[in-house]
């Protein structure tokens, strides 16, 4: 670590959308919550100078630019947060790595599996630089508590996993066509936007996937645009049957056209001695059944669960989406400072990409995950 990094971490952020604002809040709050040196928010970048100027101040950044290449090569920057549309991920992440920067990249990792493979290879050749992908749902205290229970063998041998991630942001057939619905601009559809989150949780809890059989579906094949109807190229939904390397089985489903669902990232795990149930729409609850119990016990998040106490000393006061991102920022900072590796980095992210791309191409045929 350089002398500059040992004093404080210089940050560049690219993008002002939903996740750009989330990254800005995380960088502004990570030292407040977890201690340590406050990061220096050096450069904010957006597609136009007007937008960059408009957001830099509220986001807490010292300077604004519309030149992302200048942002990632800035000598005062140590780590680059990338929250841009999917089609820009590879170019920006690779440029940052080549400039000697650490990279915090929002999911999905890339448009194509080939892009993700190239990014992972480059990252492997930059051993002094940390990469982290934005799978913030892994930081939920309830999720971390579930992982600890599984690691301790509290529900015995794992038999099966059932998971869904459904939202309804594309359910309206009158929703206009957009770049998100193309392979060139968006890559995969529901799998790349939602399903990859479920895969990140599934593999963290259940271990490697050995084989899967999947099918995808386009619910609204064409959508209106100013130039007339245009084809929807990527999937609105996907379902898969899974065999894990452990021998356990699983089912997986994701949809961006599920009416009434807002963030239904829900799973349950059946073991020989019990069952765990979690739903992101109720992210402060973990439901546990143990052999011999009449039913399920509700475990409410509190300071006894990982990272909760850093935000609040009182149980039941709950944390939310953005707090998960602050924990993710903490993990990134610790890794840069030489602590435990940040997860998932680009190598682990490539595994997630292999799984979702296998689901996209299976079309009812079994696919072995190498």
């Amino acid at each position: 670590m350089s002398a500059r990094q040992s004093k404080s971490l210089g940050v560049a952020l690219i993008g002002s959308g939903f996740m750009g604002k989330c990254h800005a809040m995380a960088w502004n709050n990570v030292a407040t919550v977890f201690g340590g040196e406050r990061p220096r928010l050096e450069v904010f970048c957006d597609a136009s100078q007007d937008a960059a100027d408009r957001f830099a101040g509220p986001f807490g950044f010292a300077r604004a630019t519309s030149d992302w290449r200048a942002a990632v090569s800035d000598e005062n920057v140590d780590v680059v947060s990338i929250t841009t549309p999917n089609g820009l991920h590879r170019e920006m992440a690779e440029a940052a790595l080549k400039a000697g920067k650490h990279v915090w990249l929002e999911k999905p990792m890339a448009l194509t599996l080939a892009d993700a493979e190239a990014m992972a290879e480059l990252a492997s050749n930059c051993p002094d630089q940390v990469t982290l992908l934005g799978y913030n749902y892994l930081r939920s205290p309830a999720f971390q508590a579930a992982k600890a229970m599984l690691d301790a063998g509290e529900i015995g041998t794992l038999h099966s996993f059932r998971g869904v991630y459904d939202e309804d942001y594309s359910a309206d057939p009158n929703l206009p066509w957009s770049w998100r619905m193309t392979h060139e601009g968006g890559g995969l559809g529901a799998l790349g936007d939602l399903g990859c989150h479920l895969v990140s949780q599934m593999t963290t809890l259940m271990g490697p996937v050995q084989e899967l059989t999947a099918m995808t579906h386009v619910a609204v094949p064409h959508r209106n645009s100013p130039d007339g109807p245009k084809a929807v190229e990527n999937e609105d939904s996907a379902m898969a049957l899974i065999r894990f390397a452990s021998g356990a089985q699983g089912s997986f489903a994701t949809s961006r056209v599920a009416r009434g669902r807002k963030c239904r990232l829900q799973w349950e795990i059946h073991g020989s001695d019990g069952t765990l149930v979690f739903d992101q729409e109720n992210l402060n609850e973990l439901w546990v059944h143990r052999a011999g119990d009449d039913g399920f016990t509700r475990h409410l998040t509190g300071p006894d669960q990982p990272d909760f106490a850093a935000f609040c000393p009182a149980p039941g006061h709950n944390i939310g989406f953005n707090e998960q991102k602050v924990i993710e920022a903490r993990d990134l900072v610790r890794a840069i400072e030489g602590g435990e590796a940040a997860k998932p980095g680009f190598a682990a992210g490539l595994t997630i990409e292999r799984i979702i791309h296998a689901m996209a191409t299976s079309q009812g045929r079994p696919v072995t995950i190498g």
Side-chain angles (χ1 to χ4, degrees), residues 219-237:
V220 185
H222 294 86
R223 291 185 181 270
N224 291 327
S225 79
D227 300 321
K230 289 190 176 182
V232 174
E233 298 173 358
N234 50 28
E235 74 288 343
D236 286 322
S237 62

Side-chain angles (χ1 to χ4, degrees), residues 10 17 22 28 37 48 52 56 83 91 145 161 172 178 180 202 233 249 254 259 266 279 313 326 333 359:
C22 193
N28 275 286
E37 291 288 337
S48 71
T83 70
E91 184 178 19
F161 173 95
D172 183 355
S178 77
R180 290 186 178 276
M202 178 179 74
E233 298 173 358
Q249 63 181 354
T254 187
R259 289 281 191 181
Q266 183 184 62
D279 187 341
V326 177
V333 171
M359 289 179 181

Side-chain angles (χ1 to χ4, degrees), residues 300-365:
L300 190 63
T301 52
D304 59 327
Q305 292 185 331
D307 295 320
F308 186 99
F311 293 93
C312 180
H317 284 59
N318 298 349
I319 69 170
F321 179 89
N322 290 304
E323 285 84 355
Q324 295 176 29
K325 214 66 181 178
V326 177
I327 299 170
E328 193 170 83
R330 186 278 313 275
D331 290 350
L332 176 60
V333 171
R334 283 185 178 175
I336 292 171
E337 291 175 344
E340 184 178 349
K343 299 176 182 178
F346 281 10
L350 176 57
T351 298
I352 296 171
E353 293 291 325
R354 284 177 174 150
I355 292 170
I356 60 174
H357 282 275
M359 289 179 181
T361 57
S362 165
Q363 296 304 314
R365 298 182 298 272

Side-chain angles (χ1 to χ4, degrees), residues 36-201:
E37 291 288 337
R38 179 179 172 81
R40 291 177 291 104
L41 306 188
E42 290 285 347
V43 185
F44 175 73
C45 179
D46 212 341
S48 71
Q49 190 63 46
D50 178 68
D53 290 337
R54 186 165 67 253
F55 287 103
F59 280 14
F61 283 79
R63 290 172 284 137
T65 182
S66 60
D67 184 351
W68 68 263
R69 293 186 183 278
V72 303
S73 62
D74 191 293
E75 64 178 7
N76 293 308
V77 167
D78 303 300
V79 57
V80 181
S81 281
I82 301 171
T83 70
T84 57
N86 305 347
L88 298 171
H89 285 189
R90 178 181 176 180
E91 184 178 19
M92 290 182 173
E94 289 187 341
L97 287 171
K98 290 175 182 177
K101 315 300 185 183
H102 308 288
V103 176
W104 187 9
L105 175 66
E106 273 309 306
K107 43 60 60 186
M109 189 169 170
L111 290 178
T112 68
L113 183 56
D115 284 345
E117 289 171 341
M119 293 163 69
E121 182 177 4
L122 177 59
S124 72
N125 293 324
C126 303
D128 295 330
Q129 291 155 248
V130 174
T131 59
L132 178 63
L133 291 162
Y135 287 101
N136 51 287
Y137 297 124
L138 296 173
R139 272 70 188 183
S140 159
F143 178 84
Q144 288 296 322
K147 179 68 166 65
M149 288 181 184
L150 296 183
D151 290 346
E154 292 191 27
I155 66 167
T157 302
L158 304 187
H159 293 323
S160 64
F161 173 95
R162 295 178 184 172
V164 298
Y165 191 176
D166 293 337
E167 294 193 11
D168 67 356
Y169 59 85
S170 293
D172 183 355
N174 296 313
L175 183 77
W177 178 91
S178 77
W179 60 267
R180 290 186 178 276
M181 300 166 183
T182 69
H183 294 306
E184 183 179 3
L188 297 179
L191 284 166
D193 197 20
L194 305 176
C196 59
H197 273 301
L198 179 57
V199 170
S200 75
Q201 293 206 339

